[in-house]
Structures are given as structure tokens and as C-alpha cells.
Amino acid sequence: MAAQKINEAHEHMAKADKCLKTSLTKWKPDFDSAASEYAKAAVCFKNAKQFDQAKDAYLKEAEYHTENKTAIEQAGMMMKEQKKMPEAIQLIEKACMMYMENGTPDTAAMALDRAGKLIEPLNLDKAVDLYQKAAGVFENEDRLRQAAELLGKASRLLVRVRRLDDAAVAIQKEKNMYKEIENYPMCFKKTTAQVLVHLHRADYVAADKCVRESYSLPGYSGSEDSVAMETLLQGYDEQDEDQVYRICNSPLLKYMDNDVSLPLLEPASHKKKYPSVFFYVAINDNRGSSANPLPKLSPLWLFSPCLFICLLKQWLYYAHIFVTVT
């Protein structure tokens, strides 16, 4: 079957070459017919799993049929079948540029989204770039819901690669888009995500500012999200380990649908005399790829100065008792 398809493909390639030739009675090449034959050849090569030859045929089709931009994207997909992801992404990006030039930005944005999904298991930073480009295209077309969804993908990956400053900016932009389209429940969730990211950055002021700014959102004041964040920030500010632990392990944070959570790592014996509050950001249940495994979680002491003082006081207390007894 494969051999038959390969022979059929070569026949179409020969017909395409013939269409491009000129003679005494044929003064101009027939580009449309040649492109059609190359397209048929590409399909035959693809069915025969001759992906490299299929790619060449698709590129030939695109060369002679300039209105058909999908041929370049199809060539990229042939590279994907061969696990040549960088080449595949390069071709898809080229196709997207042509989609934009041809006045079909929606098609370009969807192609960039597909490219992001392809490269995500191998290169998270490149996937972030592609998602952000796709979001930018949708934003220019005033399709803010689609733009916000793509920014959400980018922000989750930014947290995964620990680019927290960039993640905070992306989440803020995403939140602004949801606010513009009046999707306030999503704004509440993005405020929660902002607070968690800022706390992981050890920036209490920025986290508190996010909550205060969100009070202007209809329905936020007194909502489950606002109460949880107020309680979390209060516990953070007062170094109340139990309060912080309770909020971080509440369903609101443990089952966030934007995949950004801030669980509390409890020590083996959870006692106040061993103040050990750690935070980390977990993405997609900590699942990573073999090529881009998630980095080992490095806990961040949120209350480092306070913990030091507390431990020092505790040490002095026991030292005093020891001296008194002896």
C-alpha cells in the first residue's frame, strides 16, 4: 500500500514539473495546476508516511499557490511527525505571518496556539512566547475572552519556570481583560492568583495592593475570595502559622481552576514552637515533562526575620531555664 502511494506521489510530482515547463505552444507556466499536483503528491507522501518528502511537496505547493497559506502550516506538521519540533514551529510561525498579511488574524492566532501546545512539552519559554503572541493577535481583534485564555496559559507556564515577575504582569493583564468584558468571577480568581504569586515573591505590599484594588470590582467585597485573601494576608502579617496554614489548605486554594496553588508544607510535628511556614507554587499537580521536568521546589521562608527572632527568643528562654536549674 505504501509503495503504491509513493509511486502515485511521484506521478503527481512529475505532472507538476510538466505544468511548469514552457514550449512553443505554451508560453507561460501553469502555476495553479502545478500547485494542485504538488498538493496531491503531498497527501500521497503523507499517507505513505514519507513525511520529509511530504513537507517538500507542501512547500512547493505554497510556492506556486501563494493564496494557500495552509500548505506551509501543513509542512510544519510534517516536521512534527518526524519529532523535529524547532523546524515545525519555525514553519508554523512563518505560516502565521502570512495569515496576518492575508487578512486572516484569527487563523494566525489559532495556529500560534497549536504551535504552543506542540512545543510546550519541550520548551516552556518558547510556548510562553507563542501563547503571548496569539493573545496579542486576539487582543488586536478585540476578542478579549480568547486573549485572556491564552494569557492564562502563558501565566501558568511562567510560574512553572519560576519567572514570577513576568507571571505577575501576565496575570494582571489577564485580569484587566476579564474586567473589561465584565467577567467578574474570573477577576476574583485572578486576584487570588496574584496574591499567591506576590507572596511567593515575598512582596506583601504588592499582594495587599491587589486585594485593595479588587474592592472596586462588583461583588468582590465580602466574597469567599476576598475573605480568604484578607485572612491569608492578616496571617502573613501577624506571623500566625495556624491561620495561614488553614487558608492555604482550604478548597478555594487547593482546587483553583487556573492551576496555580499555594499549599502549605506542614512539618512532621505541627507545633507552634517549631515555626516553619513554607510556601511554594505548584503547577498542574507538579506534572512536568521528561525534557522539561519541573525544578525541585525550593521552599521560601516567608517570615525569615520573624522566625529568626522567635527562635532566638526561644533559645534564650531555654538557656535561662538551664542556668536557673543548674
Side-chain angles (χ1 to χ4, degrees):
M1 180 67 179
Q4 180 182 351
K5 286 294 181 183
I6 292 172
N7 290 333
E8 187 178 343
H10 284 300
E11 290 177 6
H12 288 298
M13 293 291 284
K15 289 179 180 179
D17 292 338
K18 186 176 180 181
C19 291
L20 295 174
K21 291 179 180 179
T22 58
S23 63
L24 291 174
T25 57
K26 181 186 174 186
W27 292 4
K28 294 182 180 180
D30 188 352
F31 294 126
D32 289 341
S33 297
S36 178
E37 293 297 333
Y38 282 129
K40 294 174 183 177
V43 172
C44 292
F45 281 131
K46 179 181 176 181
N47 291 337
K49 299 189 182 304
Q50 301 297 307
F51 299 119
D52 200 46
Q53 290 175 292
K55 178 210 65 170
D56 292 336
Y58 277 124
L59 291 177
K60 285 283 189 181
E61 178 193 358
E63 180 181 353
Y64 295 112
H65 193 181
T66 55
E67 296 300 319
N68 186 5
K69 316 303 179 189
T70 59
I72 297 178
E73 187 179 352
Q74 286 299 317
M77 298 307 292
M78 295 303 99
M79 290 292 94
K80 174 247 181 183
E81 294 293 341
Q82 298 181 80
K83 310 299 181 185
K84 297 179 180 179
M85 290 303 176
E87 293 89 340
I89 299 304
Q90 187 177 5
L91 286 169
I92 294 174
E93 285 190 286
K94 182 179 179 181
C96 291
M97 291 178 61
M98 298 181 74
Y99 290 142
M100 293 291 291
E101 293 171 359
N102 199 43
T104 53
D106 289 357
T107 306
M110 289 186 286
L112 287 168
D113 183 20
R114 288 193 293 270
K117 292 175 183 175
L118 289 178
I119 201 66
E120 188 174 321
L122 302 174
N123 189 333
L124 295 178
D125 288 317
K126 183 61 178 177
V128 167
D129 179 58
L130 291 168
Y131 288 141
Q132 289 179 331
K133 285 181 179 177
V137 174
F138 276 130
E139 185 180 7
N140 290 336
E141 296 299 307
D142 290 328
R143 297 182 60 179
L144 297 184
R145 184 181 64 80
Q146 290 86 344
E149 289 174 356
L150 286 163
L151 278 177
K153 292 182 180 181
S155 63
R156 287 193 289 272
L157 296 185
L158 286 168
V159 177
R160 185 183 297 185
V161 297
R162 300 301 185 264
R163 290 168 54 186
L164 298 180
D165 291 347
D166 294 333
V169 173
I171 294 171
Q172 179 62 52
K173 189 173 182 179
E174 184 185 359
K175 178 180 171 182
N176 291 341
M177 289 181 179
Y178 281 121
K179 182 179 179 180
E180 191 168 343
I181 61 177
E182 299 182 353
N183 188 340
Y184 298 120
M186 285 302 297
C187 291
F188 301 169
K189 294 180 184 299
K190 298 308 165 186
T191 298
T192 301
Q194 282 181 300
V195 170
L196 303 183
V197 170
H198 285 311
L199 288 183
H200 191 65
R201 295 172 60 241
D203 192 343
Y204 171 85
V205 174
D208 185 61
K209 182 181 177 182
C210 288
V211 175
R212 292 182 182 279
E213 289 178 346
S214 295
Y215 288 144
S216 63
L217 298 172
Y220 184 73
S221 180
S223 66
E224 181 186 9
D225 298 82
S226 72
V227 171
M229 291 303 97
E230 289 166 4
T231 307
L232 176 63
L233 290 171
Q234 182 185 22
Y236 182 104
D237 189 40
E238 298 175 358
Q239 294 86 48
D240 187 334
E241 180 179 349
D242 289 332
Q243 183 168 317
V244 172
Y245 178 81
R246 186 174 64 255
I247 296 300
C248 287
N249 284 274
S250 66
L252 178 67
L253 299 193
K254 293 181 77 171
Y255 305 108
M256 290 178 64
D257 58 4
N258 65 350
D259 296 325
V260 180
S261 61
L262 194 68
L264 179 66
L265 295 181
E266 181 184 15
S269 97
H270 179 60
K271 297 179 181 179
K272 280 195 173 182
K273 67 178 182 178
Y274 299 114
S276 52
V277 181
F278 299 100
F279 287 87
Y280 68 91
V281 177
I283 301 298
N284 295 331
D285 300 323
N286 294 330
R287 290 191 292 270
S289 65
S290 57
N292 268 291
L294 292 180
K296 291 183 179 179
L297 296 172
S298 48
L300 179 67
W301 289 75
L302 290 186
F303 315 130
S304 300
C306 298
L307 289 176
F308 175 75
I309 293 170
C310 184
L311 289 172
L312 181 60
K313 287 181 178 178
Q314 192 174 11
W315 182 82
L316 291 173
Y317 172 74
Y318 286 120
H320 174 72
I321 293 176
F322 177 77
V323 171
T324 304
V325 171
T326 57

